[in-house]
Amino acid sequence: MRTRIVAGNWKMNKTFDDAEVLITDIADALDDVALENAEVVLCPPALYLEMAADVAEESNFSLGAQNCYPADSGAYTGEISPLMLHSLKVNYCIIGHSERRKYFNESHEFLAKKVDALLNHEIRPIFCCGEVLPEREGNRHFAVVKKQLEESLFHLAVEAFTQVVIAYEPVWAIGTGVNATPAQAQEMHAYIRQLIATKYDHETAGNTTILYGGSCNGKNAAELFSQPDVDGGLIGGASLKAEEFLQIVSAL
Ligand code: PEP
């Protein structure tokens, strides 16, 4: 049975003090939540991971990073390696977010290297995929997502692939207030699962956690998560307020 996940991507938000308050509020509330076959992942800015790791040690959430560089160490000024993340007991790392693809020109090939580097250190990639609006309007969204998976994930052997979490995030839904409809999300998630079954096998496809991301909030999470192939969400804006984030968690 696959794990259901709600992951919060804080992006480049919050001062240290505000981040500490948010993470403590969420951690305290999670003490009273029974997470059966489900997981909450918090992905604060890298600078706050050490503080978050201390809170996570006593709490009911897993820790995720928002990015990494695919080398253990070296002359890569400003970058953070999977080895460093591992030393803070980081469990997950977001890879392939549309903002990194767009603003930092991250290619399929580079993302494949990041996936490998993370798996080398037992960190589970949360691999984001999704189309921009003209691609959906041109009915190319399935082909776009297929290529993203093929070029950055499908080189993995099946054992390694089982460690990957996929997040379908239509770019037109990220931060816009316009979420994919539950039917649109289900259609793409089922397609992704079918691709995995074709590449690997049905058992692997059935065990892969596929999250939805894009303007998911306290109001629409329950309906989105009720779709048979939607196993939770990757949450941006709505993860910055404890109350709303916890409402989303309760929809798991
Ligand atoms: C994201 O950036 O991963 C995301 C889903 O953002 P939002 O929830 O704000 O649309």
Side-chain angles (χ1 to χ4, degrees), residues 2 193-194 196-208:
R2 53 188 180 259
R193 211 176 291 289
Q194 186 53 51
I196 298 167
T198 305
K199 166 68 188 171
Y200 297 101
D201 54 73
H202 282 283
E203 191 187 348
T204 303
N207 287 336
T208 302

Side-chain angles (χ1 to χ4, degrees), residues 9 11 97 99 169 173-175 213-216 234-237:
N9 173 15
K11 311 193 188 188
H97 193 282
E99 288 148 18
E169 298 208 305
I174 295 179
S215 297
C216 185
L234 178 56
I235 316 300

Side-chain angles (χ1 to χ4, degrees), residues 196-247:
I196 298 167
T198 305
K199 166 68 188 171
Y200 297 101
D201 54 73
H202 282 283
E203 191 187 348
T204 303
N207 287 336
T208 302
T209 299
I210 308 177
L211 308 180
Y212 167 77
S215 297
C216 185
N217 57 39
K219 291 202 181 79
N220 60 27
E223 201 185 348
L224 284 160
F225 297 176
S226 70
Q227 302 302 303
D229 287 291
V230 178
D231 307 316
L234 178 56
I235 316 300
S239 71
L240 295 171
K241 293 180 215 120
E243 204 178 315
E244 182 156 27
F245 184 69
L246 290 159
Q247 213 179 327

Side-chain angles (χ1 to χ4, degrees), residues 31 39 95 104 122 146 230:
D31 283 346
E39 216 174 322
I95 291 295
F104 303 96
E122 288 157 17
K146 182 171 191 248
V230 178

Side-chain angles (χ1 to χ4, degrees), residues 84-154:
M84 293 169 175
L85 296 176
H86 182 75
S87 73
L88 283 183
K89 302 198 177 75
V90 169
N91 317 97
Y92 290 88
C93 182
I94 298 169
I95 291 295
H97 193 282
S98 62
E99 288 148 18
R100 294 214 60 91
R101 292 179 191 263
K102 180 177 174 190
Y103 301 129
F104 303 96
N105 298 315
E106 294 193 354
S107 66
H108 300 309
E109 193 188 4
F110 188 54
L111 295 176
K113 286 186 181 151
K114 289 192 182 198
V115 167
D116 292 345
L118 286 167
L119 292 172
N120 273 340
H121 293 288
E122 288 157 17
I123 297 172
R124 300 184 67 184
I126 299 177
F127 180 83
C128 303
C129 57
E131 79 286 355
V132 296
L133 191 56
E135 290 166 342
R136 177 161 280 265
E137 288 172 343
N139 204 28
R140 298 194 304 280
H141 46 301
F142 293 115
V144 167
V145 168
K146 182 171 191 248
K147 189 170 171 69
Q148 290 170 337
L149 299 185
E150 282 177 348
E151 305 267 314
S152 302
L153 290 183
F154 282 0

